[in-house]
Amino acid sequence: MPRTDGSVGGPIDHYVIGVRQFQQQVLPPGLPVTTVWGYGSTQHPLSFHYPAFTIEARSETPVRVRWKNQLHDRTGRYLPHLLPVDPTLHWANPAGGISDRDTRPAFRTTPGPYTGPVPIVTHLHGGRNTEESDGYTEAWYLPGALDLPAGFAQVGSFYDEFRDKFENRFDDAWGRGDAVFQYANEERASTFWFHDHTLGLTRLNVYAGLAGFYLLRGGPADLPDGVLPGPAPRPGDPPGRKYYEIPLVVQDRSFHTDGSLSYPAGRAAFDGFKGPYVPVSDISPIWNPEFFGNTMVTNGRTWPVLRVEPRRYRFRLLNGCNSRYLILKIATRALAPRPVRAALPFWQIGNEGGFLPAPVQRDEVLIAPAERADVIVDFTAVPIGSELYLVNEGPDKAFQGGKAGTDFSPADPATTGQVMKFVVEALTAPDTSVPPSQLSLPTIKPLGKASRIRQLSLSEQNSATLPHVGPRQMMVGTLDRAGNAVPMHWDDPVTENPALGATEIWEIHNLTADAHPIHIHEVQFQILDRRQAGRAARPPEPWERGFKDTAVAYPGAVTRLKATFDRAGRYVWHCHMLEHEDNEMMRPYQVG
């Protein structure tokens, strides 16, 4: 991502990044182009892309971004959403005005989709920053369009408060249709990503294209140049530069025959339920509890091909899917019966919180929505001319744990079971990187003793008015003294309020049938163990050690996390299956 002119080499890296609508060749050449949304530098029109170009950040050098909502046409008129927006959820609700924004509006008849101006707010996933720069879900803002409807709220409930705090702290004014965030970059070197986080709209805004990598380098928790495969892409690289470090975001999508994005327009697409909906019942008419597309898109292209040399590569993997868990392998045949035998191993060296204590050799990589895996793949011994495939053996439905082929059917080998292809070509330069089995990774400092243990719950609720219809919504909450779930709505009073500087253990009881990726903003935590009744506590997997920001909470288990809350302010924790997050499976928490 290009920086703002004049900021290169200064004490702060400045960016002005807009969100725009444009067309991109996502499907194979010869098929129609797709209208998408994406981030880009407003000074560099060619930088707008789905997914976004990568922000390269340096340890201890702050990054300041002016995020501009430019979802309007060339005449300044606002653009409606590309996808069907369900206005019956608890969501941003700009049409409710100041008094009813960020609520679940009441309707006398079943409404159609919302078609007004679209709010956005961007969250740096994995960052540890002050509250006004976190991308709080109720700090959204509409585009600075000329035709905003009268009476609409132009900003979310927390926008003004966070604008004032930011301007007082950094003396940099926010403008109409934008917000300015500053990222301190005091974390360990790692793979972060940024994406939209608007209340009740995250699933649709991310699906439309609003996501990108943010790579933090340097500092004591990084390795010297040359140890790992490289280089990675850099601004100003000449055409034809070879790259041996490549970030890969994998997402599932569906398309109409005209190339446009396809997303369910009604609840019936999920379970066949055709009503009655709100207000006769409590079932929302458009929202789907999960989404699973029928194509796989990597870095904005369906089933792409990467030409590689017989040497080591570093891949920074991100599961950017809305609901889908991925189980990635490298195979020799795209359509081989599943599960396949791995043709090459992955050497995982890092996760969301930076490097692991030691490299871990894996035949497959399970990666939940929002999780990252920093891996090395060694093609050195693969003959020139060989073709290998990155395949997916995760299920084409909600993941509940277990093994592919034993506990669930793997993804369709002809479609969602394929991710991308590698074609091995001749070596152009010697590989001087260190073999992964010989790597010595930076040390990890464990967290201190916890001062409090919190009991938290994950649950889902079926219809209260229609028997056997559900789920109606997914919820996080607490437990009562008898160990029963106490589901909490988004707007219920805050129940998680760590003292500033406190280290706490959060015990997350998953009372649902599905595995949920749980993300806590502001902190990097450590997984202590997972516990189930009648069984010994299970320690974190080797690739889960160190620090993380997203953890899989398996059904029927208690996942125990430890974190230090060292920044005062208001943040959120939630399930990162975006359809769940958008319908009550998210709660605010307050530090200090």
Side-chain angles (χ1 to χ4, degrees):
M1 182 71 74
R3 299 176 198 161
T4 302
D5 293 345
S7 77
V8 178
I12 298 176
D13 291 343
H14 289 267
Y15 295 83
V16 180
I17 297 176
V19 168
R20 295 179 184 173
Q21 179 171 300
F22 50 91
Q23 292 185 322
Q24 183 172 310
Q25 190 69 56
V26 180
L27 295 166
L31 293 176
V33 296
T34 302
T35 299
V36 295
W37 292 350
Y39 296 99
S41 168
T42 60
Q43 297 180 346
H44 304 83
L46 295 180
S47 68
F48 282 84
H49 192 264
Y50 153 65
F53 285 7
T54 298
I55 294 179
E56 285 275 351
R58 300 168 289 166
S59 177
E60 305 295 336
T61 299
V63 163
R64 184 177 298 180
V65 182
R66 183 175 297 275
W67 299 102
K68 300 180 72 69
N69 186 343
Q70 298 181 317
L71 291 174
H72 52 71
D73 64 19
R74 293 182 179 180
T75 67
R77 301 175 65 86
Y78 72 80
L79 294 167
H81 214 293
L82 297 174
L83 307 168
V85 176
D86 194 326
T88 70
L89 302 182
H90 190 145
W91 75 296
N93 192 32
I98 296 298
S99 61
D100 288 325
R101 60 186 172 180
D102 299 319
T103 63
R104 183 185 292 269
F107 293 93
R108 294 184 178 180
T109 60
T110 301
Y114 168 85
T115 57
V118 178
I120 67 165
V121 63
T122 301
H123 167 57
L124 176 58
H125 187 122
R128 297 172 57 242
N129 299 292
T130 51
E131 60 178 348
E132 69 273 9
S133 294
D134 186 57
Y136 189 71
T137 191
E138 289 184 352
W140 52 264
Y141 45 98
L142 296 182
L146 301 177
D147 62 338
L148 295 181
F152 272 47
Q154 297 189 26
V155 298
S157 304
F158 276 80
Y159 179 94
D160 290 342
E161 175 184 335
F162 289 159
R163 177 200 60 203
D164 293 345
K165 287 183 176 180
F166 186 92
E167 292 177 357
N168 289 334
R169 185 189 299 268
F170 297 110
D171 194 29
D172 197 346
W174 296 14
R176 183 169 181 259
D178 73 30
V180 188
F181 297 163
Q182 180 151 315
Y183 308 119
N185 295 322
E186 296 172 350
E187 306 87 356
R188 305 175 81 237
S190 191
T191 305
F192 303 151
W193 64 302
F194 54 94
H195 61 82
D196 183 78
H197 212 283
T198 305
L199 182 67
L201 271 185
T202 301
R203 71 196 184 287
L204 302 180
N205 288 357
V206 171
Y207 191 88
L210 299 186
F213 279 101
Y214 184 110
L215 304 182
L216 179 58
R217 302 182 189 273
D222 204 355
L223 292 174
D225 288 345
V227 174
L228 299 177
R234 292 287 194 277
D237 283 345
R241 170 68 59 89
K242 297 281 189 177
Y243 300 119
Y244 307 111
E245 178 195 320
I246 302 175
L248 298 173
V249 53
V250 181
Q251 299 170 301
D252 57 340
R253 294 289 184 266
S254 293
F255 300 87
H256 296 289
T257 53
D258 65 359
S260 61
L261 288 168
S262 174
Y263 187 88
R267 171 69 184 231
F270 175 74
D271 57 7
F273 179 71
K274 298 180 180 179
Y277 299 120
V278 169
V280 177
S281 79
D282 53 4
I283 299 296
S284 292
I286 299 175
W287 174 78
N288 276 226
E290 289 105 23
F291 170 82
F292 298 92
N294 59 15
T295 72
M296 300 302 283
V297 178
T298 302
N299 288 5
R301 297 299 295 266
T302 49
W303 299 298
V305 177
L306 178 64
R307 302 187 181 280
V308 298
E309 301 177 21
R311 59 178 298 150
R312 289 179 284 274
Y313 282 73
R314 181 186 186 183
F315 297 123
R316 297 180 185 248
L317 301 172
L318 161 63
N319 182 343
C321 300
N322 280 31
S323 301
R324 180 186 295 272
Y325 281 68
L326 302 171
I327 300 176
L328 301 177
K329 282 183 180 178
I330 297 176
T332 55
R333 292 190 296 132
L335 297 175
R338 307 296 201 257
V340 301
R341 176 179 295 181
L344 288 177
F346 301 94
W347 283 89
Q348 186 166 344
I349 58 174
N351 54 24
E352 301 93 81
F355 289 111
L356 299 172
V360 180
Q361 185 176 357
R362 308 178 63 182
D363 284 340
E364 63 184 33
V365 175
L366 167 66
I367 182 168
E371 282 191 312
R372 283 87 75 202
D374 193 348
V375 303
I376 295 174
V377 176
D378 193 346
F379 296 97
T380 302
V382 181
I384 295 173
S386 298
E387 296 182 347
L388 297 172
Y389 297 85
L390 184 65
V391 302
N392 167 44
E393 294 185 347
D396 284 327
K397 61 180 183 178
F399 179 67
Q400 299 179 339
K403 292 288 187 181
T406 301
D407 301 297
F408 57 84
S409 297
D412 182 355
T415 56
T416 52
Q418 296 183 48
V419 177
M420 61 185 294
K421 180 165 75 171
F422 303 107
V423 178
V424 182
E425 298 184 335
L427 187 70
T428 60
D431 184 358
T432 59
S433 65
V434 176
S437 62
Q438 300 175 23
L439 284 172
S440 178
L441 301 180
T443 58
I444 294 175
K445 182 180 179 180
L447 296 173
K449 184 178 180 180
S451 60
R452 179 165 181 170
I453 299 176
R454 295 184 187 269
Q455 304 278 330
L456 305 170
S457 63
L458 311 178
S459 59
E460 66 179 47
Q461 292 186 335
N462 290 335
S463 172
T465 59
L466 299 173
H468 314 301
V469 177
R472 170 171 60 98
Q473 58 193 14
M474 281 73 171
M475 304 186 75
V476 293
T478 60
L479 292 180
D480 63 21
R481 293 184 178 180
N484 300 309
V486 181
M488 310 289 287
H489 290 93
W490 164 252
D491 58 354
D492 284 332
V494 169
T495 50
E496 289 71 60
N497 55 350
L500 180 60
T503 298
E504 296 192 351
I505 293 173
W506 287 18
E507 297 186 341
I508 300 174
H509 297 244
N510 184 356
L511 307 178
T512 78
D514 299 332
H516 296 273
I518 299 302
H519 173 45
I520 306 176
H521 286 216
E522 191 267 324
V523 298
Q524 293 281 348
F525 55 73
Q526 294 179 333
I527 299 177
L528 298 181
D529 56 39
R530 294 182 176 91
R531 300 182 177 185
Q532 289 181 283
R535 302 182 185 180
R538 184 160 56 95
E541 302 289 353
W543 54 86
E544 295 181 311
R545 298 184 185 275
F547 286 95
K548 288 177 63 66
D549 60 44
T550 306
V552 178
Y554 286 95
V558 180
T559 302
R560 302 174 69 240
L561 314 175
K562 180 192 279 189
T564 297
F565 298 87
D566 57 358
R567 282 168 172 76
R570 191 177 184 92
Y571 301 92
V572 300
W573 69 283
H574 58 88
C575 173
H576 219 285
M577 294 171 73
L578 300 185
E579 282 72 19
H580 294 183
E581 169 187 339
D582 273 351
N583 193 2
E584 298 291 355
M585 206 168 193
M586 177 168 62
R587 288 278 293 148
Y589 78 92
Q590 186 82 29
V591 179

